[in-house]
Each structure stands twice: as structure tokens, then as C-alpha cells.
Amino acid sequence: MSSSLNRRLLPNLLPSSHVPPFPRRPNLSLRRSVASLPSSSRQRAFFTRATAAPTRTSRKMTFIRTFTAGSSRAASPQDEEGSKRANARKAAEIARDFRTDTITVPTDEMCAIMSRASRGDDVYGEDQATSDFEEKVARLAGKEAAMFAVSGTMTNQLAIRAHLTQPPHSIVLDSRAHIHQHEGGAAALLSQATSRTIKPENGHHITLDEVLDIIVEGDDIHTAPTKIVCLENTLSGMVFPQDEIVKISEAMHDHGILMHLDGARLWEVVAASGSSLEELCRPFDSVSLCMSKGLGAPVGSVLVGSKEIIQKAKWFRKAFGGGIRQSGGLAAGANYALDNHLSLLPRTHALAKQLANGLADLGVRLLLPVETNMLWIDPSPLGFTLDELALKARSLGLNMGASRFIVHHQITEDAVQDLLRAVKELKEEHKGRETCSSSAVVDERQNRAFAEGRWEGNVPHMSTRTTAYAARK
Ligand SMILES: Cc1ncc(COP(=O)(O)O)c(C=O)c1O
């Protein structure tokens, strides 16, 4: 088909999913002219011709085309204006969506850079953008090598798989760790590892004493010796004190136990503490760094470690089907996010604290200290539930999950103010109906400290129901 013919025909063809079924009584001459075509092209030909003569059927078709134009055309990459409008609408939605930081949208500038990236095959190790990006992250983290992969779950699990050899073996984690709670049981599934978990006494982070109490050593055949301690930083938005990490790492290395860090949000620690990535990664044998959370890349996570461990991880990445062929665009997006969005994180932390202080002023209980971009709240002392808050928020064009709120780099100040307005209005509506149970009484001192990102004594344990990944739409 010549290209001019193509141009003339294509605008008339809807994707097959939008082709309506034949009408029950089609015009006869039309039926003859399309009878020899295969059914899908027949339907399309029918559809194309039907708009030429204003028969009853064609009027019906025109109606269907008009009706479907809004949805199908706006989403079509060929329709530049439609795509721009749809993407602007999505960006405006995301600016008011507190569910998580993985939902940020790539910006036009990021997409432009992605489209110009190298197009080599990374499974063959031939993509320049990916290799350059891996080298850059390895250098920043002070490690020998790095591997780009599609997700944080994949880099965590490939690290565990690459570190472990012959079962029986165990890994040690915080009981709230993502690796333990939210990765589909993959450590058992893929690495045959038993998980030994710690519920930290202080409610904030696990300590060396707690780790020493739980690791398994020796050759008792009843046991599964501990081979890795996996930490998470940040965990629920809280920053793991680096001096405790160093102590755990030194002790574990003395015991021949490896250290892995789920650093999905380690960039938040860089922004909050001012420490370098290299310093934060130094105590670990491997670190997983997500590019698609706070930094806002559309996809990607990087595992850093020794050349040997990265080589092994690449082997397993291939075996698990995780190799990406022309990965340059994705790596370029992640690289753009690193270069341009890391500097936006302090603003998100300030906005999170502003939101936390506003909520504390109104009497909402903060469940954990707000040390970075994450808040955990309980509005029940004001007499209403999270579900009622979600409904009110919806009426103001805001979206929220369960008790977790994340202030990502595309959240606007208006969204924060409107969320506070939602709470204020509900508080007014529920005046006199506040809960009087002792569990609903807010500890003002603690609430204020949490709003400012401080904690003293112990942080109360949240129920695991609160920490469930409840995506509300
Ligand atoms: C702490 C932590 N680690 C790992 C992951 C896994 O990342 P991904 O969703 O890219 O698999 C997440 C995801 O939210 C996370 O919060």
C-alpha cells in the first residue's frame, strides 16, 4: 500500500477493538462489495464505506465514531493534541493523589530525552545509555558494579538469590520489611530462604542486640543458618540511624553474614540527612535503589554491589526473564530523574511536615514520626473514619489510600491545603461525636514531635491492618 493511500485510509480505521459488530440488516450492495474480505478487514471496510453515504446504518456508524472519538482518539499516540490533553489531565490528577510516590507521571522533558536514548540490546550488554547509567550509579554508591532492572522487587530478590547458595538458609529482617510483607513470599519461592523477623522494641528500627538474638549460626541440622541481614531505609518513611547500621554491619561481617539494603527510598535519606549515597551504602554488600518512587522515573531499579555479585544477579535476572532488550529509553528516564528530581525531595519533605503539622493542629493522630515524605494517620479521635475522609477528599478531587499518605514531587501546595480543608470540614461535621475511648486520646507531645520528624522513647507499633497496601480508586 502506498504511503499516500495509507495516510488517506488510516484515519478512517478504528482499532479493531472499536469496530462495531455488523448491523442486523446491512445495505446489500455494501454486503457484496466486502464479502470477499477477511472478517476483520471486512468490518473495517464496512465501517469506512458506511460513512460515505448517509444511509440509516451509516448514520449509526457516524454516531458510534463520534461517541468513541473522545476516548480512543485521546489515547492514540498518533493524535498529538488528544494525547497532550489526556496527559495533562493525568498530571493534574496525580498532583492531588496521595496514595504513593510510584504514581508520578513522566514529564514531557523526560519523555523527550527517553525518545533520543541509545537503542542497543542490553541483554547482550550493548546499550550505551544503560551501561553509562549503571556505571554512574555504581560510582555514586561507591560500589564496583550495578545492574538496571525493572523493579525494586526484582533487585531485592535477585540480590538475595545471588548471595545465597545451598539451602537450608535464613535471612533476617524487620517484620514490617517490604521484602518480607509485600514481595509475594519471593525469598521462599525463589531462594528457598526461611525468614526470621524482628519486631523492633523501639518501634522505629531494629538494633544490633535484636539482630544478635535472632541470627542462627553453627551446623546444628535442626536449623537454617543465617546468611543475610536485610535492612530497609527508609522504612515507612523513617530514617534508619546510620550508626546503628554500621554497628550491625560490622558485627554481621565478623560473623560471616552478608548485608543487603532495600534502599527503595534511600534517596529520601540522602535528601533528609545530607549524607552521601556512598556513605549510606558503605556498610552493605548489596543495595537496591528504586528510580520510580521519590525520583519519579517511569520504571526501574538499580542493584549495586561487587562485580561478582552483580554478574551473578545478571545471570538470575536472565533466568527469571527479567532481561530488557532495548532498555536505553528506560535507563535514560531513570538517569533524567536522578539528575533532575533528587533536588526536589527536600521540598516534598517540607510539604509533608507542613501537612503533618496542620493535621496535628486539627487533632488527627500521627502514627509515626514524619521524617521524610510519608505520613501515617488516624483521624478517629475526631470521630470519623479513614473511609469518611476518603469520601470527603474525593469530593474535593483528592485521592488517598488507607492511613498512609505520601507527598511526592508532583503534589502541589493546593492539594495539601485542600486535604487539610477536608479534615477541617469533617471535624466540624462531627463536632460532639468525637471518640472518648482511651485509645482515641491523642498524646499532644508525641503528636507534635512526630509532625516535626522527631521521636523519643518508643514509637508505637501500628497494626499490620493499617500497613496493608490498600489502593483506593
Ligand atoms: C520499601 C520498598 N521496597 C521495595 C519496593 C518494591 O518496588 P517495586 O514496586 O518497584 O517492585 C517497594 C515498593 O513500593 C517499597 O516500598
Side-chain angles (χ1 to χ4, degrees), residues 102 150-154 156 178 183 232 234 262 264-265 290 292-293 301 404 469:
T102 57
V150 290
S151 69
T153 301
M154 182 165 265
N156 277 332
H178 194 276
E183 298 188 3
E232 184 173 314
T234 63
D262 177 353
R265 294 191 175 81
C290 284
S292 66
K293 308 226 159 39
S301 188
R404 185 184 78 168
Y469 270 30

Side-chain angles (χ1 to χ4, degrees), residues 101 104-107 110 291-299 333 337 341 409-410:
D101 47 7
T104 53
V105 288
T107 58
M110 182 191 277
M291 309 308 297
S292 66
K293 308 226 159 39
L295 292 187
V299 71
H341 295 169
H409 77 93
Q410 288 169 332

